[in-house]
PDB file of all heavy atoms in Angstrom:
ATOM      1  N   CYS A 198       0.858  -1.184   0.000  1.00  0.00           N
ATOM      2  CA  CYS A 198       0.000   0.000   0.000  1.00  0.00           C
ATOM      3  C   CYS A 198       0.892   1.231   0.000  1.00  0.00           C
ATOM      4  O   CYS A 198       1.757   1.392   0.870  1.00  0.00           O
ATOM      5  CB  CYS A 198      -0.923   0.019   1.215  1.00  0.00           C
ATOM      6  SG  CYS A 198      -2.066   1.431   1.234  1.00  0.00           S
ATOM      7  N   VAL A 199       0.685   2.089  -0.983  1.00  0.00           N
ATOM      8  CA  VAL A 199       1.542   3.257  -1.200  1.00  0.00           C
ATOM      9  C   VAL A 199       0.803   4.530  -0.802  1.00  0.00           C
ATOM     10  O   VAL A 199      -0.337   4.750  -1.192  1.00  0.00           O
ATOM     11  CB  VAL A 199       1.973   3.332  -2.677  1.00  0.00           C
ATOM     12  CG1 VAL A 199       2.704   4.629  -2.965  1.00  0.00           C
ATOM     13  CG2 VAL A 199       2.852   2.145  -3.041  1.00  0.00           C
ATOM     14  N   ASN A 200       1.466   5.362  -0.020  1.00  0.00           N
ATOM     15  CA  ASN A 200       0.948   6.700   0.274  1.00  0.00           C
ATOM     16  C   ASN A 200       1.280   7.610  -0.908  1.00  0.00           C
ATOM     17  O   ASN A 200       2.408   7.619  -1.393  1.00  0.00           O
ATOM     18  CB  ASN A 200       1.597   7.228   1.550  1.00  0.00           C
ATOM     19  CG  ASN A 200       1.155   8.625   1.925  1.00  0.00           C
ATOM     20  OD1 ASN A 200       1.961   9.529   2.044  1.00  0.00           O
ATOM     21  ND2 ASN A 200      -0.139   8.808   2.123  1.00  0.00           N
ATOM     22  N   PRO A 201       0.305   8.375  -1.430  1.00  0.00           N
ATOM     23  CA  PRO A 201       0.560   9.130  -2.659  1.00  0.00           C
ATOM     24  C   PRO A 201       1.582  10.244  -2.494  1.00  0.00           C
ATOM     25  O   PRO A 201       1.676  10.886  -1.443  1.00  0.00           O
ATOM     26  CB  PRO A 201      -0.812   9.701  -3.017  1.00  0.00           C
ATOM     27  CG  PRO A 201      -1.597   9.687  -1.753  1.00  0.00           C
ATOM     28  CD  PRO A 201      -1.096   8.509  -0.972  1.00  0.00           C
ATOM     29  N   LEU A 202       2.332  10.454  -3.541  1.00  0.00           N
ATOM     30  CA  LEU A 202       3.190  11.632  -3.633  1.00  0.00           C
ATOM     31  C   LEU A 202       2.327  12.874  -3.402  1.00  0.00           C
ATOM     32  O   LEU A 202       1.199  12.957  -3.869  1.00  0.00           O
ATOM     33  CB  LEU A 202       3.834  11.695  -5.021  1.00  0.00           C
ATOM     34  CG  LEU A 202       4.839  12.818  -5.266  1.00  0.00           C
ATOM     35  CD1 LEU A 202       6.103  12.595  -4.456  1.00  0.00           C
ATOM     36  CD2 LEU A 202       5.174  12.900  -6.767  1.00  0.00           C
ATOM     37  N   GLY A 203       2.856  13.843  -2.655  1.00  0.00           N
ATOM     38  CA  GLY A 203       2.107  15.063  -2.360  1.00  0.00           C
ATOM     39  C   GLY A 203       1.366  15.015  -1.048  1.00  0.00           C
ATOM     40  O   GLY A 203       0.822  16.030  -0.597  1.00  0.00           O
ATOM     41  N   SER A 204       1.354  13.856  -0.405  1.00  0.00           N
ATOM     42  CA  SER A 204       0.640  13.705   0.858  1.00  0.00           C
ATOM     43  C   SER A 204       1.490  14.223   2.019  1.00  0.00           C
ATOM     44  O   SER A 204       2.589  14.751   1.836  1.00  0.00           O
ATOM     45  CB  SER A 204       0.270  12.230   1.061  1.00  0.00           C
ATOM     46  OG  SER A 204      -0.462  12.051   2.252  1.00  0.00           O
ATOM     47  N   CYS A 205       0.962  14.039   3.213  1.00  0.00           N
ATOM     48  CA  CYS A 205       1.686  14.434   4.429  1.00  0.00           C
ATOM     49  C   CYS A 205       1.844  13.231   5.354  1.00  0.00           C
ATOM     50  O   CYS A 205       2.056  13.379   6.550  1.00  0.00           O
ATOM     51  CB  CYS A 205       0.927  15.548   5.151  1.00  0.00           C
ATOM     52  SG  CYS A 205      -0.796  15.139   5.497  1.00  0.00           S
ATOM     53  N   LYS A 206       1.709  12.028   4.779  1.00  0.00           N
ATOM     54  CA  LYS A 206       1.741  10.807   5.580  1.00  0.00           C
ATOM     55  C   LYS A 206       3.004   9.986   5.328  1.00  0.00           C
ATOM     56  O   LYS A 206       3.009   8.776   5.474  1.00  0.00           O
ATOM     57  CB  LYS A 206       0.491   9.966   5.277  1.00  0.00           C
ATOM     58  CG  LYS A 206      -0.843  10.677   5.510  1.00  0.00           C
ATOM     59  CD  LYS A 206      -1.102  10.956   6.975  1.00  0.00           C
ATOM     60  CE  LYS A 206      -2.459  11.616   7.210  1.00  0.00           C
ATOM     61  NZ  LYS A 206      -3.573  10.684   7.049  1.00  0.00           N
ATOM     62  N   GLY A 207       4.077  10.657   4.927  1.00  0.00           N
ATOM     63  CA  GLY A 207       5.360   9.984   4.735  1.00  0.00           C
ATOM     64  C   GLY A 207       5.955  10.182   3.365  1.00  0.00           C
ATOM     65  O   GLY A 207       7.175  10.293   3.210  1.00  0.00           O
ATOM     66  N   SER A 208       5.112  10.202   2.330  1.00  0.00           N
ATOM     67  CA  SER A 208       5.611  10.517   0.985  1.00  0.00           C
ATOM     68  C   SER A 208       5.894  12.016   0.887  1.00  0.00           C
ATOM     69  O   SER A 208       5.272  12.824   1.578  1.00  0.00           O
ATOM     70  CB  SER A 208       4.586  10.109  -0.075  1.00  0.00           C
ATOM     71  OG  SER A 208       4.437   8.699  -0.108  1.00  0.00           O
ATOM     72  N   THR A 209       6.831  12.386   0.033  1.00  0.00           N
ATOM     73  CA  THR A 209       7.220  13.789  -0.089  1.00  0.00           C
ATOM     74  C   THR A 209       6.053  14.641  -0.565  1.00  0.00           C
ATOM     75  O   THR A 209       5.367  14.295  -1.524  1.00  0.00           O
ATOM     76  CB  THR A 209       8.406  13.923  -1.051  1.00  0.00           C
ATOM     77  OG1 THR A 209       9.528  13.220  -0.502  1.00  0.00           O
ATOM     78  CG2 THR A 209       8.785  15.385  -1.252  1.00  0.00           C
ATOM     79  N   GLY A 210       5.825  15.736   0.132  1.00  0.00           N
ATOM     80  CA  GLY A 210       4.742  16.652  -0.197  1.00  0.00           C
ATOM     81  C   GLY A 210       5.054  18.037   0.328  1.00  0.00           C
ATOM     82  O   GLY A 210       6.180  18.313   0.787  1.00  0.00           O
ATOM     83  N   PRO A 211       4.090  18.944   0.308  1.00  0.00           N
ATOM     84  CA  PRO A 211       4.319  20.325   0.742  1.00  0.00           C
ATOM     85  C   PRO A 211       4.914  20.482   2.139  1.00  0.00           C
ATOM     86  O   PRO A 211       5.705  21.406   2.357  1.00  0.00           O
ATOM     87  CB  PRO A 211       2.924  20.956   0.648  1.00  0.00           C
ATOM     88  CG  PRO A 211       2.254  20.182  -0.435  1.00  0.00           C
ATOM     89  CD  PRO A 211       2.741  18.774  -0.291  1.00  0.00           C
ATOM     90  N   PRO A 212       4.584  19.614   3.131  1.00  0.00           N
ATOM     91  CA  PRO A 212       5.207  19.816   4.443  1.00  0.00           C
ATOM     92  C   PRO A 212       6.621  19.252   4.557  1.00  0.00           C
ATOM     93  O   PRO A 212       7.302  19.481   5.562  1.00  0.00           O
ATOM     94  CB  PRO A 212       4.258  19.081   5.396  1.00  0.00           C
ATOM     95  CG  PRO A 212       3.637  18.017   4.571  1.00  0.00           C
ATOM     96  CD  PRO A 212       3.528  18.595   3.185  1.00  0.00           C
ATOM     97  N   SER A 213       7.079  18.515   3.539  1.00  0.00           N
ATOM     98  CA  SER A 213       8.418  17.924   3.585  1.00  0.00           C
ATOM     99  C   SER A 213       9.484  18.995   3.399  1.00  0.00           C
ATOM    100  O   SER A 213       9.230  20.080   2.878  1.00  0.00           O
ATOM    101  CB  SER A 213       8.560  16.868   2.487  1.00  0.00           C
ATOM    102  OG  SER A 213       7.539  15.897   2.565  1.00  0.00           O
ATOM    103  N   VAL A 214      10.685  18.667   3.802  1.00  0.00           N
ATOM    104  CA  VAL A 214      11.798  19.609   3.689  1.00  0.00           C
ATOM    105  C   VAL A 214      12.344  19.618   2.267  1.00  0.00           C
ATOM    106  O   VAL A 214      12.653  18.561   1.688  1.00  0.00           O
ATOM    107  CB  VAL A 214      12.915  19.244   4.680  1.00  0.00           C
ATOM    108  CG1 VAL A 214      14.152  20.122   4.452  1.00  0.00           C
ATOM    109  CG2 VAL A 214      12.425  19.403   6.111  1.00  0.00           C
ATOM    110  N   ASP A 215      12.420  20.789   1.707  1.00  0.00           N
ATOM    111  CA  ASP A 215      13.021  20.994   0.388  1.00  0.00           C
ATOM    112  C   ASP A 215      14.539  21.028   0.562  1.00  0.00           C
ATOM    113  O   ASP A 215      15.072  21.913   1.242  1.00  0.00           O
ATOM    114  CB  ASP A 215      12.523  22.324  -0.189  1.00  0.00           C
ATOM    115  CG  ASP A 215      13.115  22.643  -1.558  1.00  0.00           C
ATOM    116  OD1 ASP A 215      14.004  21.908  -2.023  1.00  0.00           O
ATOM    117  OD2 ASP A 215      12.680  23.647  -2.153  1.00  0.00           O
ATOM    118  N   PRO A 216      15.267  20.051  -0.015  1.00  0.00           N
ATOM    119  CA  PRO A 216      16.723  20.028   0.189  1.00  0.00           C
ATOM    120  C   PRO A 216      17.423  21.244  -0.372  1.00  0.00           C
ATOM    121  O   PRO A 216      18.562  21.544   0.006  1.00  0.00           O
ATOM    122  CB  PRO A 216      17.158  18.744  -0.537  1.00  0.00           C
ATOM    123  CG  PRO A 216      16.069  18.451  -1.510  1.00  0.00           C
ATOM    124  CD  PRO A 216      14.811  18.947  -0.873  1.00  0.00           C
ATOM    125  N   ASN A 217      16.757  21.966  -1.257  1.00  0.00           N
ATOM    126  CA  ASN A 217      17.388  23.170  -1.820  1.00  0.00           C
ATOM    127  C   ASN A 217      17.384  24.338  -0.844  1.00  0.00           C
ATOM    128  O   ASN A 217      18.207  25.252  -0.967  1.00  0.00           O
ATOM    129  CB  ASN A 217      16.656  23.588  -3.096  1.00  0.00           C
ATOM    130  CG  ASN A 217      16.794  22.566  -4.208  1.00  0.00           C
ATOM    131  OD1 ASN A 217      17.891  22.069  -4.456  1.00  0.00           O
ATOM    132  ND2 ASN A 217      15.694  22.244  -4.872  1.00  0.00           N
ATOM    133  N   THR A 218      16.457  24.332   0.119  1.00  0.00           N
ATOM    134  CA  THR A 218      16.339  25.465   1.041  1.00  0.00           C
ATOM    135  C   THR A 218      16.494  25.071   2.509  1.00  0.00           C
ATOM    136  O   THR A 218      16.751  25.933   3.349  1.00  0.00           O
ATOM    137  CB  THR A 218      14.968  26.146   0.879  1.00  0.00           C
ATOM    138  OG1 THR A 218      13.938  25.233   1.291  1.00  0.00           O
ATOM    139  CG2 THR A 218      14.738  26.559  -0.571  1.00  0.00           C
ATOM    140  N   GLY A 219      16.303  23.779   2.813  1.00  0.00           N
ATOM    141  CA  GLY A 219      16.342  23.333   4.203  1.00  0.00           C
ATOM    142  C   GLY A 219      15.058  23.648   4.956  1.00  0.00           C
ATOM    143  O   GLY A 219      14.988  23.435   6.156  1.00  0.00           O
ATOM    144  N   GLU A 220      14.046  24.167   4.264  1.00  0.00           N
ATOM    145  CA  GLU A 220      12.762  24.474   4.869  1.00  0.00           C
ATOM    146  C   GLU A 220      11.659  23.694   4.151  1.00  0.00           C
ATOM    147  O   GLU A 220      11.863  23.138   3.069  1.00  0.00           O
ATOM    148  CB  GLU A 220      12.475  25.976   4.798  1.00  0.00           C
ATOM    149  CG  GLU A 220      13.500  26.832   5.531  1.00  0.00           C
ATOM    150  CD  GLU A 220      13.172  28.310   5.437  1.00  0.00           C
ATOM    151  OE1 GLU A 220      12.197  28.653   4.718  1.00  0.00           O
ATOM    152  OE2 GLU A 220      13.877  29.111   6.059  1.00  0.00           O
ATOM    153  N   SER A 221      10.478  23.672   4.735  1.00  0.00           N
ATOM    154  CA  SER A 221       9.355  22.977   4.115  1.00  0.00           C
ATOM    155  C   SER A 221       9.048  23.587   2.744  1.00  0.00           C
ATOM    156  O   SER A 221       9.153  24.800   2.546  1.00  0.00           O
ATOM    157  CB  SER A 221       8.117  23.073   4.996  1.00  0.00           C
ATOM    158  OG  SER A 221       8.308  22.386   6.213  1.00  0.00           O
ATOM    159  N   TYR A 222       8.626  22.729   1.821  1.00  0.00           N
ATOM    160  CA  TYR A 222       8.267  23.214   0.487  1.00  0.00           C
ATOM    161  C   TYR A 222       7.142  24.244   0.549  1.00  0.00           C
ATOM    162  O   TYR A 222       7.176  25.250  -0.149  1.00  0.00           O
ATOM    163  CB  TYR A 222       7.766  22.053  -0.384  1.00  0.00           C
ATOM    164  CG  TYR A 222       8.825  21.182  -0.985  1.00  0.00           C
ATOM    165  CD1 TYR A 222       9.125  19.944  -0.439  1.00  0.00           C
ATOM    166  CD2 TYR A 222       9.491  21.576  -2.141  1.00  0.00           C
ATOM    167  CE1 TYR A 222      10.075  19.111  -1.017  1.00  0.00           C
ATOM    168  CE2 TYR A 222      10.443  20.759  -2.731  1.00  0.00           C
ATOM    169  CZ  TYR A 222      10.730  19.527  -2.155  1.00  0.00           C
ATOM    170  OH  TYR A 222      11.668  18.717  -2.729  1.00  0.00           O
ATOM    171  N   ARG A 223       6.121  23.940   1.336  1.00  0.00           N
ATOM    172  CA  ARG A 223       4.896  24.734   1.334  1.00  0.00           C
ATOM    173  C   ARG A 223       4.413  24.909  -0.115  1.00  0.00           C
ATOM    174  O   ARG A 223       4.271  23.921  -0.842  1.00  0.00           O
ATOM    175  CB  ARG A 223       5.108  26.058   2.048  1.00  0.00           C
ATOM    176  CG  ARG A 223       5.551  25.900   3.511  1.00  0.00           C
ATOM    177  CD  ARG A 223       5.738  27.234   4.188  1.00  0.00           C
ATOM    178  NE  ARG A 223       6.326  27.094   5.524  1.00  0.00           N
ATOM    179  CZ  ARG A 223       5.614  26.950   6.643  1.00  0.00           C
ATOM    180  NH1 ARG A 223       4.297  26.917   6.592  1.00  0.00           N
ATOM    181  NH2 ARG A 223       6.222  26.844   7.815  1.00  0.00           N
ATOM    182  N   LEU A 224       4.169  26.135  -0.567  1.00  0.00           N
ATOM    183  CA  LEU A 224       3.650  26.342  -1.914  1.00  0.00           C
ATOM    184  C   LEU A 224       4.740  26.335  -2.984  1.00  0.00           C
ATOM    185  O   LEU A 224       4.448  26.517  -4.176  1.00  0.00           O
ATOM    186  CB  LEU A 224       2.871  27.656  -1.990  1.00  0.00           C
ATOM    187  CG  LEU A 224       1.659  27.773  -1.071  1.00  0.00           C
ATOM    188  CD1 LEU A 224       0.817  28.985  -1.449  1.00  0.00           C
ATOM    189  CD2 LEU A 224       0.800  26.513  -1.084  1.00  0.00           C
ATOM    190  N   ASP A 225       5.989  26.090  -2.582  1.00  0.00           N
ATOM    191  CA  ASP A 225       7.049  25.908  -3.569  1.00  0.00           C
ATOM    192  C   ASP A 225       7.086  24.477  -4.095  1.00  0.00           C
ATOM    193  O   ASP A 225       7.878  24.177  -4.999  1.00  0.00           O
ATOM    194  CB  ASP A 225       8.415  26.263  -2.971  1.00  0.00           C
ATOM    195  CG  ASP A 225       8.575  27.762  -2.760  1.00  0.00           C
ATOM    196  OD1 ASP A 225       7.942  28.529  -3.526  1.00  0.00           O
ATOM    197  OD2 ASP A 225       9.300  28.161  -1.838  1.00  0.00           O
ATOM    198  N   PHE A 226       6.247  23.596  -3.524  1.00  0.00           N
ATOM    199  CA  PHE A 226       6.146  22.242  -4.075  1.00  0.00           C
ATOM    200  C   PHE A 226       5.616  22.350  -5.500  1.00  0.00           C
ATOM    201  O   PHE A 226       4.700  23.128  -5.772  1.00  0.00           O
ATOM    202  CB  PHE A 226       5.194  21.411  -3.206  1.00  0.00           C
ATOM    203  CG  PHE A 226       5.257  19.934  -3.484  1.00  0.00           C
ATOM    204  CD1 PHE A 226       6.304  19.175  -3.002  1.00  0.00           C
ATOM    205  CD2 PHE A 226       4.255  19.309  -4.212  1.00  0.00           C
ATOM    206  CE1 PHE A 226       6.357  17.809  -3.244  1.00  0.00           C
ATOM    207  CE2 PHE A 226       4.298  17.949  -4.463  1.00  0.00           C
ATOM    208  CZ  PHE A 226       5.359  17.189  -3.975  1.00  0.00           C
ATOM    209  N   PRO A 227       6.186  21.589  -6.447  1.00  0.00           N
ATOM    210  CA  PRO A 227       5.713  21.712  -7.844  1.00  0.00           C
ATOM    211  C   PRO A 227       4.247  21.309  -7.982  1.00  0.00           C
ATOM    212  O   PRO A 227       3.715  20.550  -7.166  1.00  0.00           O
ATOM    213  CB  PRO A 227       6.622  20.724  -8.600  1.00  0.00           C
ATOM    214  CG  PRO A 227       7.790  20.483  -7.709  1.00  0.00           C
ATOM    215  CD  PRO A 227       7.297  20.639  -6.308  1.00  0.00           C
ATOM    216  N   ASP A 228       3.612  21.816  -9.026  1.00  0.00           N
ATOM    217  CA  ASP A 228       2.240  21.399  -9.319  1.00  0.00           C
ATOM    218  C   ASP A 228       2.169  19.878  -9.391  1.00  0.00           C
ATOM    219  O   ASP A 228       3.003  19.232 -10.044  1.00  0.00           O
ATOM    220  CB  ASP A 228       1.774  21.997 -10.648  1.00  0.00           C
ATOM    221  CG  ASP A 228       1.452  23.480 -10.532  1.00  0.00           C
ATOM    222  OD1 ASP A 228       1.262  23.955  -9.396  1.00  0.00           O
ATOM    223  OD2 ASP A 228       1.393  24.160 -11.579  1.00  0.00           O
ATOM    224  N   LEU A 229       1.169  19.331  -8.738  1.00  0.00           N
ATOM    225  CA  LEU A 229       1.031  17.882  -8.604  1.00  0.00           C
ATOM    226  C   LEU A 229      -0.059  17.368  -9.543  1.00  0.00           C
ATOM    227  O   LEU A 229      -1.119  17.993  -9.675  1.00  0.00           O
ATOM    228  CB  LEU A 229       0.675  17.529  -7.156  1.00  0.00           C
ATOM    229  CG  LEU A 229       0.459  16.052  -6.823  1.00  0.00           C
ATOM    230  CD1 LEU A 229       1.789  15.293  -6.862  1.00  0.00           C
ATOM    231  CD2 LEU A 229      -0.192  15.907  -5.445  1.00  0.00           C
ATOM    232  N   SER A 230       0.177  16.214 -10.152  1.00  0.00           N
ATOM    233  CA  SER A 230      -0.829  15.590 -11.004  1.00  0.00           C
ATOM    234  C   SER A 230      -1.023  14.136 -10.585  1.00  0.00           C
ATOM    235  O   SER A 230      -0.168  13.527  -9.931  1.00  0.00           O
ATOM    236  CB  SER A 230      -0.405  15.648 -12.480  1.00  0.00           C
ATOM    237  OG  SER A 230       0.672  14.758 -12.723  1.00  0.00           O
ATOM    238  N   ILE A 231      -2.158  13.578 -10.976  1.00  0.00           N
ATOM    239  CA  ILE A 231      -2.410  12.154 -10.757  1.00  0.00           C
ATOM    240  C   ILE A 231      -1.333  11.315 -11.439  1.00  0.00           C
ATOM    241  O   ILE A 231      -0.888  10.277 -10.918  1.00  0.00           O
ATOM    242  CB  ILE A 231      -3.811  11.768 -11.273  1.00  0.00           C
ATOM    243  CG1 ILE A 231      -4.899  12.395 -10.393  1.00  0.00           C
ATOM    244  CG2 ILE A 231      -3.974  10.253 -11.337  1.00  0.00           C
ATOM    245  CD1 ILE A 231      -5.016  11.826  -9.004  1.00  0.00           C
TER     246      ILE A 231
END
């Protein structure tokens, strides 16, 4: 069972840390598609 990309339940998503900045992506996360 896979948690979807973009979620906040372990897969990388807006609350995850952006390695380019060291801070959460927030709205800098790229546009997400199915």
